[in-house]
Amino acid sequence: MKLQFAMDTLTTEAALDLAAAAAPHVDILELGTPLIKSEGLSAITAIKKAHPDKIVFADLKTMDAGELEADIAFGAGADLVTVLGSAGDSTIVGAVTAAKKHGKGVVVDLIGVADKPARAKEVIALGAEFVEMHAGLDEQAEEGFTFATLLRDGEASGVPFSVAGGVNASSIADVQKAGAQVAVAGSAIYSAPDVGAAAAELRAAII
Ligand SMILES: O=C(CO)[C@H](O)[C@H](O)COP(=O)(O)O
């Protein structure tokens, strides 16, 4: 299972510092949506330039204009981009078209999708690399939210998936047991007093 670090920060400078500390322990460096909104595509270019050996993941959360948005992010250095599962099929197909042109990939983020296993199968058939079983920061704070639901949905989907939203040193082993290809951790790493040590702890928890 790969480890993805979601850098939910607001400046390229802060992201470069986070990436430098965590890179030895992670496979995928994610530019979080707030970072891309704050700094633009240049943040993607800066992270790829600093870490050409890492998979750079641009969390665009595209909802429309799939081909255009994916094309500009791949052109800036992204290896993977996200499109929302609630977007129309044509938006996902558009992003996949751009990915094929650049030799890159599309991940479909299932945040907010009611029947995640069913939509997961549909978007993989449209050409997505994998889906993200994702509970956003707001959903995690809602009453009754359980992380186990994400794992069950991943297992039930029968397609390649990542898990995002509350992954930490205690939960990452369960993510692996559920069969995920990628575990995504944000605050468990960037909020830690020692970012490198937190990333190393997560890596060590992967069997
Ligand atoms: O995409 C995101 C929010 O939309 C986060 O990056 C992702 O959910 C990781 O969150 P966490 O900090 O809980 O690990």
Coordinates of all heavy atoms in Angstrom, one line a residue, residues 15 17 19 42 71 110 139 144 154 156 163:
A15 N 4.3 24.4 1.9 CA 4.2 23.1 1.3 C 5.6 22.5 1.0 O 5.8 21.3 1.2 CB 3.3 23.1 0.0
D17 N 8.3 23.1 2.6 CA 8.9 22.7 3.9 C 8.3 21.4 4.4 O 9.0 20.4 4.8 CB 8.6 23.7 5.0 CG 9.5 25.0 4.8 OD1 10.4 24.9 4.0 OD2 9.2 26.0 5.5
A19 N 6.9 19.1 2.5 CA 7.3 18.0 1.6 C 8.7 17.6 1.8 O 9.0 16.4 1.8 CB 7.1 18.5 0.1
S42 N 1.2 27.2 -10.1 CA 2.7 27.3 -9.8 C 3.1 26.5 -8.6 O 4.3 26.0 -8.5 CB 3.1 28.8 -9.6 OG 2.5 29.3 -8.4
D71 N -5.9 19.1 -18.0 CA -4.8 19.4 -18.9 C -3.9 20.5 -18.3 O -2.6 20.3 -18.4 CB -5.4 19.9 -20.3 CG -4.4 20.1 -21.3 OD1 -3.7 19.2 -21.7 OD2 -4.2 21.3 -21.8
L110 N -14.8 10.4 -4.2 CA -16.2 10.1 -3.9 C -16.8 10.8 -2.7 O -17.9 10.4 -2.2 CB -16.4 8.6 -3.8 CG -16.0 7.8 -5.1 CD1 -16.0 6.3 -4.8 CD2 -16.9 8.1 -6.2
E139 N -17.5 16.5 6.9 CA -18.2 15.3 7.2 C -17.6 14.6 8.5 O -18.4 14.0 9.3 CB -18.1 14.3 6.0 CG -19.0 13.1 6.1 CD -18.9 12.2 4.9 OE1 -18.4 12.6 3.9 OE2 -19.3 11.0 5.1
G144 N -22.3 11.1 14.2 CA -22.6 9.8 13.7 C -21.6 9.3 12.6 O -21.7 8.2 12.1
G154 N -15.0 0.7 0.5 CA -13.9 0.4 -0.3 C -13.9 -1.1 -0.7 O -13.7 -1.5 -1.8
A156 N -16.4 -3.1 -0.6 CA -17.6 -3.5 -1.4 C -17.4 -3.1 -2.9 O -18.1 -3.6 -3.7 CB -18.8 -2.8 -0.8
V163 N -8.1 5.6 0.7 CA -9.0 6.0 1.8 C -8.4 7.4 2.3 O -7.2 7.5 2.6 CB -9.1 5.0 2.9 CG1 -9.8 5.5 4.1 CG2 -9.7 3.7 2.4

